[in-house]
Amino acid sequence: MNWPDFLSYDLLRGLHIIAVIAWMAGMMYLPRLYAYHTETAPPGTPFDAHFQVWEAKLLRIIINPAMTVTWLLGATLIFWHVYAAGEGWGFLLQPWMLTKLAVVTALSGWHGFLAGARKKFAAGQRPKSARFWRATNEIPFLLAVVAVLAVTLQFGAR
Ligand code: HEM
């Protein structure tokens, strides 16, 4: 398969990292909003309505598109390795890549959990305590550390 020139590996990789930054920033900010929302804005108050708008916009404008673009570019990088570089699908079976895939699956699951929590806030519920949102705030950061080190160290590479 001929790989189009404009899809250079370095360009794809740079855009992938930019999308990752937006995704991670959003996922680290949203639980902060949930903590303040839980603590300071009882259901039905004007402040509750403000938080709902901020949370919905953060998910719709930043977090959801950033995750989509991260996955699309990540998948394109995989295709680049498999086809353009001729490494075959065995590329995915390297320990560092398996680790990366496990971490990005966990990150995507956490994303889904946060999106589900937004719906509960909008329905007037307070799904978890403010303490829970503060304690779990660093989950995306810790997972990102593993994802980045997996790709930079490439342990167990063929
Ligand atoms: C969501 C699904 C994702 C997929 C399918 C994916 C896949 C990939 C692939 C195949 C590469 C190229 C690796 C190489 O050629 O050495 C790559 C690069 C990279 N990925 Fe991802 N990735 C995803 C998400 C993430 C996330 C969430 C992070 C960080 C939190 C991340 C950080 C990076 C970095 C920093 C690089 C560049 C490494 C380098 O060039 O040295 N990726 N990704």
Side-chain angles (χ1 to χ4, degrees), residues 9 13 16-17 20 23-24 70-71 74-75 77-78 81 91 96-97 100-101 104 107 144 147-148 151-152 154:
Y9 172 80
R13 173 166 83 134
H16 175 66
I17 292 171
V20 162
W23 188 23
M24 294 302 108
T70 302
W71 267 106
L77 285 166
I78 290 173
H81 277 280
F91 169 75
W96 67 273
M97 195 58 211
K100 169 100 189 253
L101 289 174
V104 296
L107 274 168
V148 171
V151 278
T152 57
Q154 303 211 341

Side-chain angles (χ1 to χ4, degrees), residues 7-8 10-11 15 22 49 68 71 83 95 155:
L7 286 181
S8 84
D10 287 336
L11 176 64
L15 295 174
T68 306
W71 267 106
Y83 293 111
F155 41 85

Side-chain angles (χ1 to χ4, degrees), residues 99-154:
T99 306
K100 169 100 189 253
L101 289 174
V103 168
V104 296
T105 303
L107 274 168
S108 303
W110 181 245
H111 180 141
F113 173 75
L114 292 179
R118 187 204 64 78
K119 287 191 184 137
K120 291 187 178 158
F121 275 105
Q125 301 166 27
R126 296 293 176 264
K128 301 282 177 196
S129 66
R131 195 182 144 87
F132 172 87
W133 294 119
R134 289 211 168 80
T136 55
N137 202 31
E138 312 308 332
I139 286 179
F141 179 73
L142 295 175
L143 289 171
V145 168
V146 180
V148 171
L149 291 181
V151 278
T152 57
L153 297 176
Q154 303 211 341

Side-chain angles (χ1 to χ4, degrees), residues 49-72:
H50 285 307
F51 272 114
Q52 285 188 36
V53 171
W54 297 331
E55 290 156 0
K57 281 191 172 173
L58 186 57
L59 269 161
R60 202 183 65 235
I61 299 171
I62 307 281
I63 306 181
N64 291 342
M67 179 188 74
T68 306
V69 174
T70 302
W71 267 106
L72 287 176

